[in-house]
Each structure stands twice: as structure tokens, then as C-alpha cells.
């Protein structure tokens, strides 16, 4: 079993290029099957969730090939059928295929989605919205069986701006008859990216990135070449890493415009940021201070995906901080690990109170989910002494090569194997490191 060994307490220096967005890539991969032809994607992140989604596409007859860093999807041979549970149940994003399969072949058989243990994340909003467009969905013991022979445009109002439900409605609407108006849509940048991708294939979508999206159905789509934008959550993670460990780093291609809330928060904590056309400089010299109360919210509010990394930072901040989690009910899973490192944190319901300590200490830790695992890496990098972090597979669901990135930023980190003194960290699809 492999684990990360992190020697903490060193100030950061260096730079990295931010990878392509996971939360944009997965719905875009789902959308690619709407076209019975070829899609070429650049800057698609080579992460475990993308690997699993590509295996599911192969299950439905798509041909998938990597040519260097370019991903080519040929969906001309796509057929109905069922996705293998071993891949569909490893990630939440498999539910995004529901709308695209119904739009392309008129039926879908999918296991219930899996993923991280951060909350229930029910799919009732997805199903209710798709039913308004003519889909018939049966929920069985093994998964979902859906049929939609002639999808029709509809006026859909989401009771909550769910990202996944917004994406599924868009995916089914693209080839539907008539016009679909979606109100209270999610406004995340990844929704806008999905709409931009679909429009590049010949779809007719207006309002992506706003609370009202209008989709006029078209008869067919065409081949396209598309570059996926940078990952704002990965960029935010390394911004918070700099806040925790101190130093000064450059994050090339960091989407500062999508991170205004995070930048404002870091400014209140004493972290300096300098925006440039090609990226973002982040620096911290003295001890950070408490920002008071932070509440997670749908975009453009503070993202729930950065709540755990923020908690790791606040564990070392001066003063008392509070975090209110309003999106998922089980996002405080790192609290016990942080407390073992010396953090002073207490939770009640969906609120955590963090009384900052000047320095945490290294410990043996275990990631239980994607963003919590990244947060433990941040805490270890800022702590005194050595830490071991198990559960790397969770982190690899969203971070292309976190060891490479951390080392480029000055963190002392290595991949080790249990009962072995050293181990070589290898990735067959590793990108060349960019020198800053």
C-alpha cells in the first residue's frame, strides 16, 4: 500500500501550471456522445475520474484514444446497453450520462452513482427535471432504467441550483424538440464551459453561467475541437496551500476571475495576490489571521469543494474562525485527523469552530474523500515534522499528479510503499514539468 510522506514546515517557492478542470471535463465527456462523430479535447485532465468515465464510454461503444495530451472520442459506433458497476459506482459524475444517453439513443441503464462520502447527494432533482421533458425513469435495486423516445422542450424550475441537475437538463435538451427554459440553474463556471462546448458542436444555448438558460433543440451536432479551461478548485487548493505554509508561488493559468470570493477571503487573512495575464502570484509572509465566519454557498459564493482545505489553513490561523457548511452534510470528516495533529476544532451540526494554533505537528493520516485528502496534504505541508497520508487514490480522483505539483512548489513530499524505504513515483501520462 502506498502513502505520501510529507516533511512540513518549509516555506514555498516555485510555480506550476494549473491542470484542466475536472468539473468541466466530466460533463463535457458526457456531452460528447450526443454527436455521432468525432470530438477532440485538449487540456483534459488525466485523473482517475476521467479514466473511469472513459471506460464507461467504451461500454457504450465509443472509441477513445489519447494522442499525447489530446483526447479523441469517436461516438459514431455508440449503442445502448449498460455501464459496468465497477466504474459507474466509483464516481458521482456517472449520473451526467443520463441526459446524454436519453438524448442520443432514447434509453439509459445506469447503476446508482458513487463517489466520495461527503453526503447523500440525492438525485431526485435530476429525475424530476428529466421527467418534465418526457423521460420515464424507474428506480430499481440495481440502478436506474430510463426511456425517453421523443424528448420535448419544457419550462423547468429547479428548487435548488444543483450543478448535476442543471447539466442533465442541458444534455437532454440539446437534441430535443422545441425550446427548454431552465430557471434557477446552477451558475458555476463549469456550466458555462459545458454550454460553450455544446455550442461549438452546433447546439443553440443561451445564458450559460446565469440562473436562466434557454436551449433550442437542434436536429444534429457536428465534429469539434475544444480546449478545456483550468481547474479553479485545483488552483484554489494551491492558493490555500500557500496561505498555510507561507512563501510565494506562481500559478500559471489560474482562473482568477472564477476565484474572486477565495481571493477576497485570502486578502482578509493577510495573503497577498497579484493577478497577471498568464496566471496568479500568491504570497504570505507573517502569520495569517482569522477571517471570522465563512459559509459555503453555490457559485459565486465560497465553494464547498474548498471548505476542507480552508479548515486545514484556519487550524493554524491567529484567532477563532467558524465554517458553516450549507451544501453537504458530511464534509467535516477531516476534523479528527486535524485534531490528532494538534488542531483545536469542535463541530456542532453543520458548523465548525476553529481556534487557531501556531503550529500543528506531523501525524499518520488517512484520506477518506477527494477534497479532504487534499486538505490533509495542506495541513501536513504546514505542520512541524513528518506526516504519512494514506488513501492517495481519493486524491488522484481530482489531482493529476499532486506529488509533482507539490515538489515544484517547494514541498518536501515523496510517494512511499509500506515496508519499503523508498519508492519510485511513476505516471505513464505525466506531463513535462514547466520551469518557472
Amino acid at each position: 500500500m502506498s502513502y505520501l510522506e510529507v516533511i512540513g514546515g518549509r516555506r514555498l517557492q516555485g510555480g506550476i501550471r494549473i491542470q484542466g478542470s475536472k468539473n468541466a471535463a466530466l460533463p463535457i465527456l458526457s456531452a460528447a456522445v450526443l454527436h455521432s462523430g468525432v470530438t477532440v479535447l485538449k487540456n483534459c485532465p488525466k485523473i482517475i475520474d476521467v479514466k473511469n468515465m472513459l471506460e464507461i464510454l467504451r461500454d457504450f461503444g465509443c472509441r477513445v484514444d489519447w494522442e499525447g495530451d489530446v483526447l479523441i472520442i469517436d461516438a459514431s459506433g455508440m449503442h445502448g446497453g449498460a455501464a459496468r458497476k465497477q466504474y459507474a459506482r466509483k464516481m458521482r459524475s456517472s449520473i451526467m450520462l443520463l441526459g446524454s444517453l436519453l438524448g442520443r439513443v432514447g434509453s439509459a441503464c445506469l447503476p446508482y452513482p458513487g463517489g466520495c462520502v461527503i453526503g447523500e447527494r440525492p438525485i431526485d432533482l435530476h429525475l424530476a427535471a428529466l421527467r418534465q421533458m418526457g423521460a420515464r425513469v424507474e428506480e430499481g435495486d440495481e440502478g436506474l432504467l430510463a426511456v425517453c423516445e421523443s424528448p420535448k422542450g419544457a419550462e423547468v424550475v429547479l428548487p435548488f441550483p444543483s450543478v448535476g441537475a442543471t447539466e442533465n437538463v442541458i444534455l437532454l435538451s440539446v437534441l430535443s424538440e422545441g425550446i427548454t427554459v431552465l430557471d434557477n440553474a446552477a451558475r458555476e463556471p463549469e456550466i458555462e464551459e459545458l454550454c460553450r462546448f455544446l455550442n461549438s458542436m452546433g447546439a443553440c444555448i443561451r445564458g450559460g453561467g446565469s440562473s436562466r438558460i434557454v436551449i433550442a433543440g437542434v436536429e444534429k451536432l457536428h465534429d469539434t475541437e475544444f480546449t478545456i479551461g483550468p481547474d479553479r478548485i485545483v488552483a484554489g487548493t494551491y492558493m490555500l496551500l500557500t496561505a498555510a505554509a507561507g512563501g510565494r508561488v506562481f500559478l500559471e493559468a489560474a482562473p482568477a476571475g472564477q476565484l474572486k470570493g477565495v481571493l477576497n477571503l485570502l486578502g482578509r487573512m493577510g495573503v497577498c495576490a497579484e493577478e497577471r495575464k498568464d496566471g496568479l502570484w500568491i504570497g504570505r509572509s507573517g502569520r495569517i489571521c482569522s477571517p471570522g465566519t465563512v459559509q459555503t454557498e453555490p457559485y459565486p459564493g465560497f465553494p464547498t469543494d474548498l471548505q476542507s482545505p480552508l479548515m486545514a489553513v484556519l487550524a493554524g490561523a491567529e484567532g477563532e474562525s467558524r465554517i458553516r457548511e450549507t451544501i453537504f452534510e458530511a464534509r467535516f470528516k477531516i476534523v479528527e485527523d486535524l485534531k490528532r495533529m494538534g488542531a483545536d476544532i469542535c463541530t456542532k451540526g453543520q458548523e465548525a469552530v476553529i481556534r487557531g494554533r501556531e503550529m500543528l505537528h506531523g501525524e499518520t493520516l488517512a484520506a477518506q474523500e477527494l477534497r479532504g485528502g487534499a486538505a490533509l496534504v495542506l495541513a501536513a505541508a504546514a505542520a512541524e515534522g513528518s506526516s504519512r497520508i494514506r488513501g492517495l487514490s481519493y486524491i488522484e480522483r481530482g489531482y493529476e499528479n499532486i506529488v509533482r505539483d507539490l515538489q515544484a512548489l517547494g514541498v518536501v513530499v515523496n510517494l512511499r510503499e509500506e515496508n519499503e524505504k523508498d519508492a519510485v513515483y511513476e505516471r505513464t501520462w505525466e506531463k513535462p514539468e514547466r520551469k518557472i
Side-chain angles (χ1 to χ4, degrees):
M1 180 183 296
S2 59
Y3 64 90
L4 292 181
E5 180 185 64
V6 181
I7 311 298
R10 295 201 179 188
R11 297 176 66 79
L12 305 184
Q13 61 177 358
I16 57 169
R17 180 177 178 83
I18 300 301
Q19 69 186 57
S21 170
K22 165 187 180 285
N23 290 337
L26 294 171
I28 284 173
L29 291 176
S30 299
V33 307
L34 288 169
H35 169 50
S36 57
V38 177
T39 299
V40 177
L41 296 176
K42 298 179 179 179
N43 203 37
C44 185
K46 292 177 176 178
I47 54 177
I48 287 179
D49 273 13
V50 166
K51 278 186 171 182
N52 289 334
M53 181 64 84
L54 295 180
E55 289 299 328
I56 295 173
L57 296 190
R58 290 188 177 104
D59 286 344
F60 289 106
C62 298
R63 180 176 176 180
V64 177
D65 295 297
W66 286 96
E67 293 185 1
D69 289 335
V70 177
L71 177 62
I72 302 171
I73 302 167
D74 184 348
S76 58
M78 186 180 173
H79 54 71
R84 285 175 286 174
K85 296 177 185 177
Q86 68 188 91
Y87 297 111
R89 286 188 171 173
K90 286 181 179 179
M91 59 179 184
R92 172 70 177 178
S93 306
S94 60
I95 191 64
M96 296 173 193
L97 281 163
L98 190 56
S100 54
L101 287 171
L102 290 176
R104 173 71 188 277
V105 298
S107 64
C109 182
L110 291 170
Y112 290 113
C116 291
V117 288
I118 58 173
E120 289 300 319
R121 301 203 278 186
I123 58 174
D124 56 324
L125 295 182
H126 301 242
L127 305 187
L130 297 182
R131 283 170 175 145
Q132 289 185 61
M133 300 180 66
R136 302 191 305 276
V137 187
E138 295 181 9
E139 301 176 64
D141 293 337
E142 295 299 314
L144 301 169
L145 179 60
V147 177
C148 192
E149 297 168 353
S150 55
K152 299 285 196 301
E155 293 188 5
V156 179
V157 180
L158 295 177
F160 177 83
S162 160
V163 173
T166 298
E167 290 165 342
N168 258 326
V169 170
I170 292 170
L171 291 169
L172 181 54
S173 300
V174 168
L175 297 177
S176 295
E177 179 183 341
I179 295 175
T180 298
V181 179
L182 176 59
D183 279 315
N184 200 28
R187 298 168 56 195
E188 272 71 4
E190 296 80 23
I191 301 293
E192 187 172 5
E193 188 90 333
L194 173 63
C195 294
R196 192 165 63 90
F197 168 73
L198 285 166
N199 283 340
S200 77
M201 299 173 74
C204 184
I205 305 173
R206 292 183 289 109
S210 72
S211 59
R212 167 173 274 213
I213 301 175
V214 179
I215 308 103
V218 298
E219 290 188 6
K220 62 180 181 178
L221 302 173
H222 55 69
D223 292 358
T224 192
E225 181 176 301
F226 188 82
T227 300
I228 295 172
D231 194 309
R232 65 188 175 99
I233 302 301
V234 169
T237 300
Y238 294 135
M239 291 160 63
L240 290 166
L241 169 67
T242 309
R248 179 174 164 84
V249 305
F250 183 66
L251 305 177
E252 183 186 355
Q258 301 175 8
L259 292 162
K260 294 298 184 184
V262 179
L263 286 167
N264 290 337
L265 177 66
L266 290 175
R268 286 159 45 196
M269 296 165 64
V271 177
C272 298
E274 178 187 342
E275 294 183 38
R276 290 187 4 184
K277 288 183 179 180
D278 57 345
L280 188 64
W281 282 101
I282 296 289
R284 192 270 284 178
S285 53
R287 187 181 178 191
I288 55 174
C289 57
S290 165
T293 299
V294 181
Q295 178 169 298
T296 62
E297 296 174 328
Y299 188 83
F302 189 84
T304 182
D305 280 350
L306 290 177
Q307 183 259 99
S308 293
L310 175 64
M311 180 179 287
V313 176
L314 296 180
E318 185 175 4
E320 180 179 290
S321 308
R322 292 175 182 265
I323 295 177
R324 294 196 187 108
E325 174 57 57
T326 69
I327 309 297
F328 296 122
E329 72 275 12
R331 263 238 146 111
F332 290 154
K333 289 187 174 295
I334 67 165
V335 168
E336 292 307 314
D337 273 324
L338 291 178
K339 289 169 71 171
R340 291 175 58 237
M341 299 178 76
D344 183 354
I345 305 172
C346 63
T347 61
K348 183 176 181 180
Q350 294 301 99
E351 183 168 287
V353 179
I354 306 108
R355 298 176 180 88
R357 296 283 181 86
E358 190 163 354
M359 182 67 74
L360 304 184
H361 58 78
E363 266 292 350
T364 297
L365 312 166
Q368 300 181 63
E369 44 93 6
L370 168 55
R371 306 304 176 184
L376 294 179
V377 174
L378 267 64
E384 185 176 40
S386 174
S387 296
R388 292 186 174 192
I389 304 172
R390 296 185 174 91
L392 179 62
S393 61
Y394 287 108
I395 300 172
E396 289 179 321
R397 287 188 53 219
Y399 297 83
E400 201 170 57
N401 190 331
I402 198 167
V403 172
R404 175 199 65 201
D405 288 349
L406 292 171
Q407 289 175 344
L409 295 175
V411 178
V412 181
V413 56
N414 289 287
L415 184 71
R416 306 292 188 191
E417 297 292 336
E418 299 285 1
N419 303 319
E420 291 186 17
K421 185 177 181 180
D422 295 301
V424 177
Y425 190 81
E426 295 180 348
R427 285 291 178 268
T428 58
W429 52 14
E430 182 175 348
K431 294 180 180 178
E433 180 179 337
R434 181 184 185 274
K435 302 297 183 182
I436 301 294

